[in-house]
Amino acid sequence: MRRPVDAVNAHYPEVVLSTRDRLIDAAARLLDQGGPAAVTLREVGRLAGVSHNAPYKHFADKEDLLAAVAARELARPPRPARRGSGSPAEALSQMMHGYVDWAMRHPARFKLTFGSWSVDSAELGAAATAARTALVAAVSAAQASRDLPQGDPERLAALIQATTHGAVDLALSGHLARSGKGHADPKDLVDDLLGYLSS
Amino acid sequence: MRRPVDAVNAHYPEVVLSTRDRLIDAAARLLDQGGPAAVTLREVGRLAGVSHNAPYKHFADKEDLLAAVAARELARPPRPARRGSGSPAEALSQMMHGYVDWAMRHPARFKLTFGSWSVDSAELGAAATAARTALVAAVSAAQASRDLPQGDPERLAALIQATTHGAVDLALSGHLARSGKGHADPKDLVDDLLGYLSS
DNA sequence: ACCTGAACACCGTTCAAGT
DNA sequence: ACCTGAACACCGTTCAAGT
């Protein structure tokens, strides 16, 4: 008979994580496998090797647990572009392509992270601010090298993020127009925008 | 003691709708009032004056009912711009502003309509195609009057839709950057895009 | 401080039965 | 053809109790 600890070790053979971290991991894994409907506190607890209401000792409720998952994801995707990989414009393009790749690979995490939050988690707000700051810096650099038009870099960053986010969201929900031949790719739309902005 | 028919007449004093239509209306109303969590088949039935499982005689399951709500919404928002209201560029701008207004006014319907659908409702697909066709026509007209760059109108329409959709979605979830002073408006970002495209 | 097991109210769905 | 009432499995949350 398998004991709870076996379920844990099957996934984390070498590493010992706190119960809180194991709960977040379990929720993220269930999200990837079966979408939001698959994330039940009972299954989260079972995967983490605890009872179905142990999560209430670490999170206020289910939404609070999901906010922790979103905060962890938000701190991850907008990784700064590799250095020496080209012009500031190319670095910006790669940054947005990375965002698209992450979102298309983990649609449920993407939808969760950019969903509506009634709880205002400080962790979630700080992660969002950090991600935005990195984007504004990349936009400013591209403006300095004359690859983007001048003007408020925050506003231009918001335009680029809106286009990228919208292209991904429409693609994931199947509402993106098949343009001519072949399926339209969110990356193509992002590059279209950057091309129009640089000319 | 109030009888079921009273609940119906309170909302539709003059009009008699089919049970199916009353179920869709009830679901949309609950969606507006309390978000997706408030849409339970039991409450939908109660509002429509039927039992909590009467919906199963009209829809396969809950998702099928929600798909009918989404299809009805999708057929509504992208109303063609008023005639004689200005240049094709202004007509296009007004069309996207109308989209923004509708989405910001009914956030839950917006999220539902552009959410992921595992059911492939023919009704939903037809409504989406019709909406897209109207946008492509407006884009083509603006290209003809030299207010937008040449090229595949479907692809340009996809870019404009992605930006508009993304700006609304980020604004609704609180992830849109406050640009400088005052809160950023999705309409500003749409106009920024159209401005860059026309120059 | 952290966890468990039982319990409560609620929901989606199914089914036998009614007109 | 359309609807009802009872029933089932499931879920989020609470609570008393254990170490």
Side-chain angles (χ1 to χ4, degrees):
Chain A
M1 178 178 173
R2 289 172 69 88
R3 303 216 320 277
V5 67
D6 294 331
V8 173
N9 287 346
H11 294 288
Y12 302 97
E14 311 285 344
V15 188
V16 175
L17 295 174
S18 69
T19 299
R20 186 189 144 93
D21 286 332
R22 271 183 290 132
L23 290 169
I24 297 177
D25 276 332
R29 209 171 332 137
L30 288 170
L31 199 59
D32 284 342
Q33 290 174 0
V39 185
T40 69
L41 288 182
R42 284 167 152 83
E43 190 64 15
V44 166
R46 207 187 61 81
L47 274 181
V50 293
S51 77
H52 72 282
N53 45 14
Y56 286 94
K57 308 304 167 182
H58 301 271
F59 304 96
D61 51 18
K62 181 178 179 177
E63 192 182 16
D64 194 36
L65 167 60
L66 292 177
V69 175
R72 200 184 65 172
E73 289 305 316
L74 201 51
R76 207 190 304 249
R79 65 196 77 201
R82 289 166 295 193
R83 308 187 178 189
S85 65
S87 68
E90 286 173 3
L92 178 61
S93 174
Q94 284 182 13
M95 190 172 180
M96 303 323 288
H97 283 200
Y99 178 92
V100 171
D101 281 332
W102 165 76
M104 300 298 283
R105 187 145 32 209
H106 303 287
R109 297 189 191 192
F110 167 77
K111 296 249 182 195
L112 171 72
T113 303
F114 292 98
S116 302
W117 293 105
S118 56
V119 300
D120 49 359
S121 149
E123 195 183 359
L124 197 53
T129 299
R132 194 148 50 220
T133 301
L135 175 58
V136 171
V139 167
S140 293
Q143 285 179 311
S145 67
R146 302 284 168 178
D147 289 320
L148 285 182
Q150 302 307 305
D152 182 0
E154 288 198 23
R155 182 145 169 176
L156 195 49
L159 173 62
I160 294 169
Q161 194 199 357
T163 301
T164 309
H165 179 89
V168 167
D169 200 45
L170 290 173
L172 287 178
S173 56
H175 286 276
L176 198 57
R178 310 276 177 279
S179 87
K181 31 210 149 288
H183 47 71
D185 186 16
K187 291 183 190 175
D188 292 335
L189 296 183
V190 171
D191 288 340
D192 283 356
L193 172 65
L194 295 178
Y196 287 126
L197 289 178
S198 68
S199 63
Chain B
M1 177 177 173
R2 290 173 68 87
R3 304 213 321 278
V5 67
D6 293 330
V8 173
N9 288 345
H11 294 287
Y12 302 95
E14 311 284 345
V15 189
V16 175
L17 295 174
S18 69
T19 298
R20 185 189 145 93
D21 286 332
R22 272 182 291 130
L23 290 169
I24 296 177
D25 276 332
R29 208 169 333 136
L30 289 170
L31 199 60
D32 284 342
Q33 290 173 1
V39 185
T40 68
L41 288 183
R42 284 166 153 84
E43 190 64 14
V44 166
R46 207 187 61 81
L47 274 182
V50 294
S51 76
H52 72 282
N53 44 16
Y56 287 93
K57 308 304 166 183
H58 301 271
F59 305 95
D61 52 18
K62 181 177 180 179
E63 192 181 16
D64 194 37
L65 167 60
L66 291 177
V69 175
R72 201 184 65 171
E73 289 305 316
L74 201 50
R76 207 189 304 250
R79 64 196 80 202
R82 291 167 294 192
R83 307 187 178 193
S85 64
S87 67
E90 285 172 5
L92 177 61
S93 173
Q94 284 182 13
M95 190 172 181
M96 302 323 288
H97 284 199
Y99 177 93
V100 172
D101 280 332
W102 165 77
M104 300 298 284
R105 189 149 26 214
H106 303 287
R109 297 189 191 191
F110 166 78
K111 294 250 183 195
L112 172 71
T113 304
F114 291 98
S116 302
W117 293 106
S118 55
V119 300
D120 48 359
S121 149
E123 196 183 0
L124 198 52
T129 299
R132 195 149 48 222
T133 300
L135 175 58
V136 171
V139 168
S140 293
Q143 285 180 313
S145 68
R146 301 285 168 177
D147 289 320
L148 285 182
Q150 303 306 307
D152 181 1
E154 289 198 23
R155 182 144 168 176
L156 194 49
L159 173 62
I160 294 168
Q161 194 199 357
T163 301
T164 308
H165 178 89
V168 167
D169 200 45
L170 289 174
L172 286 177
S173 57
H175 285 277
L176 199 57
R178 311 275 177 281
S179 89
K181 32 210 146 286
H183 48 68
D185 187 15
K187 290 183 190 175
D188 292 335
L189 295 182
V190 171
D191 287 340
D192 282 356
L193 173 65
L194 296 178
Y196 287 127
L197 290 177
S198 68
S199 60

